[in-house]
Amino acid sequence: MPAFRVAPETPTIKKVFKKILIANRGEIALRVICACKELGIRPVAIYSEADRNSLHVRFADEAICIGPPQLAQSYLNIPAVISAAEIANVDAIHPGYGLLAENANFAEVTETCSIKFIGPPSDIIRLMGEKERARAAVKKAGVPILPGSEGILAGEGEAVEWARQVGFPVIVKATAGGGGRGMRIARDEAELPGLFKAAQSEAASAFGNGDLYMEKFIERPRHIEFQVIADQYRNVASLGERECSIQRRHQKLLEESPSTQVTPELRAQIGDMLSKTLSEIGYVNAGTVEFLMDEDRKLYFIEMNTRIQVEHPVTEMVTDVDLVKSQILLAAGERLENVLQGPIVHRGHAIECRINAEHPEKFTPSAGKITAFNPPGGTGVRIDTAAYAEGVIPPYYDSLIAKLIVRGKDRPEAVSRMSRALEMFIVEGIHTTIPLHRGILADPDFRAGNFDTTFIEKFLAKRKAAAKPAA
Ligand code: MV4
């Protein structure tokens, strides 16, 4: 990729939408509203009956109630969302993350109604949503993937054949899955047919598609993902990586950038490779390419997400690129060089802690009224939230209530800043993951950067042992 030139002759962006409907709620709806306001675009909110008093309704120029609290009857109700967009006469829809963000049919219906979907074309969403097809597509374009099957596994017999070739342990994954759903690890040949059948029927009932594929199983991987943005003229830029190994049951808890395991050379190499690959595929708008890193620090593609992600602020903090504004401008047809207005530079270190409304030990949702709310401030601290004192967290939706993001000149400063910010973050009336994060930030292995995707398991076991009185 060429370095991006500063283009002083084209400092302002001409092609812009007048009105955007935000098909989401909570902190990401507010985040998109911020981007709209800064671009002089009128944001239109949709909301369920449970969200009447929420901040995304308050800060939007218009707000349309689309139904009762249940997701299927409101934020996931495609006819209701499209009707609101038609009534408000918007130029585009921003789907946020989750909900309809990676629903290819929704993107297709939106475009059929002559409303711009802020994301990739629906056929690209569909391609990346079928994990086996995505894997084959990026392999063809030269991205390293793990040894594994080619195409969909025809049956247990073929699974055993591939496993012999790849070598145990192997993992079978649902092509319609992703994010950890519908996977089974087989450690030897004896258990593979049973696990295959279990995975197949689980995938069939969960996704309406029982198709499976196989990969070599990596024992203690790190989860590292690369942020990319692309215009509709096949220009693609990589904005570096996020380290996302601190997860529990496939829910990320904490993310950071850069990864302590990625050198500037590796970052540039993967970035160039992804720019070339995604240009060939015709990728457009923001996207995230997920990799597993093995003990030899080799990266292998596992899947691609075609949306803005929860953890996008850590990339924004180290690059100073506003990813949501970029999404909007790219969807409006702007060229990448006009959106970026200069080279991509990585400065300092950023960490994000996801503050969930849940019990810190049991991880069960904790809905209710927030009685006290003191978000921390100060140098290098950012909070993305739609929560406020006296506000109510409804029980129907995702438990994420705030993202606390810090930037420091280096990792030690970011860790220290996050620790003090967590100390000063007060939320009362509901349970949150704030105490859990305080514990993670104090952990010697976390502080040393010495962790992988098995970190949380060990951390929680240590905690439990320490909490028990000595026998
Ligand atoms: C794997 C793996 C080991 N080997 N694939 C889980 C989420 C989904 N995106 C992919 N996942 C995994 N795929 C191979 N070939 C281990 C995981 C995995 C994992 C990955 C990232 C972060 C946390 C994880 C926790 C357990 C398993």
Side-chain angles (χ1 to χ4, degrees):
M1 277 307 293
F4 289 96
R5 289 174 294 105
V6 182
E9 69 278 14
T10 52
T12 54
I13 307 239
K14 292 148 297 201
K15 299 169 204 159
V16 155
F17 303 122
K18 288 193 183 70
K19 231 169 158 183
I20 293 176
L21 180 125
I22 299 143
N24 218 301
R25 62 179 302 283
E27 69 85 19
I28 194 62
L30 267 190
R31 172 70 189 87
V32 179
I33 288 173
C34 293
C36 288
K37 285 181 183 289
E38 290 180 24
L39 289 168
I41 299 169
R42 283 144 66 199
V44 178
I46 56 171
Y47 65 98
S48 75
E49 286 163 13
D51 281 339
R52 253 175 222 293
N53 298 316
S54 64
L55 291 185
H56 79 282
V57 171
R58 185 163 176 160
F59 290 126
D61 282 26
E62 290 171 54
I64 301 170
C65 183
I66 53 160
Q70 293 76 11
L71 280 176
Q73 293 176 67
S74 54
Y75 300 102
L76 290 178
N77 182 345
I78 295 175
V81 177
I82 296 286
S83 300
E86 296 279 16
I87 289 164
N89 195 26
V90 298
D91 306 297
I93 296 179
H94 195 302
Y97 53 68
L99 302 178
L100 299 171
E102 289 175 286
N103 185 315
N105 295 331
F106 176 64
E108 198 177 329
V109 170
T110 301
E111 299 275 348
T112 303
C113 297
S114 302
I115 299 167
K116 186 72 193 163
F117 179 80
I118 302 177
S122 57
D123 58 329
I124 300 267
I125 300 177
R126 208 167 271 121
L127 169 70
M128 295 306 176
E130 291 178 40
K131 305 301 167 185
E132 192 283 324
R133 268 178 73 210
R135 184 169 180 269
V138 303
K139 184 195 176 190
K140 191 165 162 246
V143 177
I145 61 169
L146 287 157
S149 57
E150 282 165 35
I152 299 300
L153 296 166
E156 305 137 58
E158 200 184 305
V160 170
E161 279 172 41
W162 279 115
R164 282 184 187 148
Q165 187 173 320
V166 168
F168 286 93
V170 296
I171 183 166
V172 290
K173 297 182 173 182
T175 192
R181 296 165 312 155
M183 311 187 319
R184 288 284 190 292
I185 300 154
R187 302 215 164 258
D188 57 50
E189 199 165 313
E191 66 179 5
L192 181 54
L195 292 176
F196 181 93
K197 272 177 272 179
Q200 196 172 43
S201 63
E202 190 182 292
S205 59
F207 317 119
N209 177 357
D211 287 354
L212 305 176
Y213 64 104
M214 180 185 291
E215 283 173 355
K216 174 88 183 165
F217 179 68
I218 304 290
E219 290 287 355
R220 271 169 295 278
R222 280 180 176 251
H223 176 132
I224 295 174
E225 59 188 29
F226 278 72
Q227 177 72 54
V228 296
I229 53 172
D231 68 17
Q232 50 184 270
Y233 316 102
R234 299 203 181 242
N235 302 300
V236 185
S238 170
L239 292 147
E241 79 285 0
R242 296 183 288 258
E243 159 66 70
C244 303
S245 297
I246 311 286
Q247 321 199 347
R248 185 182 175 273
R249 300 201 178 155
H250 306 300
Q251 294 289 345
K252 293 170 187 150
L253 293 169
L254 178 154
E255 309 91 359
E256 58 182 298
S257 185
S259 166
T260 58
Q261 305 304 301
V262 176
T263 60
E265 294 71 37
L266 182 58
R267 182 173 307 119
Q269 186 214 315
I270 301 284
D272 287 350
M273 175 186 76
L274 291 176
S275 298
K276 185 180 145 283
T277 296
L278 293 170
S279 176
E280 263 173 56
I281 289 173
Y283 195 84
V284 183
N285 215 270
T288 298
V289 186
E290 295 188 1
F291 291 88
L292 295 184
M293 182 184 264
D294 69 9
E295 280 128 338
D296 299 331
R297 291 192 187 176
K298 285 230 266 295
L299 288 167
Y300 301 94
F301 170 91
I302 50 167
E303 48 192 79
M304 178 161 193
N305 303 316
T306 56
R307 59 170 191 275
I308 192 76
Q309 296 209 199
V310 174
E311 60 273 25
H312 76 276
V314 300
T315 300
E316 295 187 324
M317 295 288 263
V318 295
T319 62
D320 258 339
V321 173
D322 185 318
L323 287 167
V324 179
K325 269 197 210 173
S326 300
Q327 282 191 294
I328 294 169
L329 296 171
L330 292 165
E334 262 312 334
R335 295 184 67 85
L336 190 58
E337 64 196 64
N338 292 338
V339 172
L340 291 172
Q341 307 224 333
I344 293 157
V345 184
H346 298 265
R347 267 181 75 243
H349 195 100
I351 305 176
E352 170 180 281
C353 288
R354 296 191 186 191
I355 313 303
N356 291 337
E358 57 192 36
H359 195 278
E361 267 100 53
K362 290 176 274 184
F363 293 96
T364 48
S366 177
K369 189 178 201 158
I370 295 173
T371 54
F373 194 71
N374 180 61
T379 304
V381 176
R382 164 176 172 181
I383 294 170
D384 282 19
T385 186
Y388 57 95
E390 305 296 311
V392 173
I393 305 300
Y396 307 97
Y397 314 114
D398 191 273
S399 65
L400 183 79
I401 59 157
K403 304 187 305 205
L404 173 57
I405 309 112
V406 303
R407 189 194 162 284
K409 67 179 190 296
D410 52 21
R411 190 170 189 272
E413 187 177 71
V415 168
S416 168
R417 186 163 281 162
M418 181 60 89
S419 300
R420 76 91 179 147
L422 285 164
E423 205 181 302
M424 300 171 84
F425 203 162
I426 295 167
V427 181
E428 286 171 3
I430 56 169
H431 292 291
T432 76
T433 48
I434 293 171
L436 175 77
H437 284 297
R438 290 178 185 147
I440 295 169
L441 268 287
D443 184 272
D445 285 328
F446 175 75
R447 287 188 164 241
N450 177 24
F451 56 83
D452 55 48
T453 49
T454 65
F455 172 87
I456 280 293
E457 249 173 85
K458 286 177 267 178
F459 171 83
L460 293 174
K462 272 192 277 182
R463 263 196 145 201
K464 218 170 173 184
K468 271 200 193 120

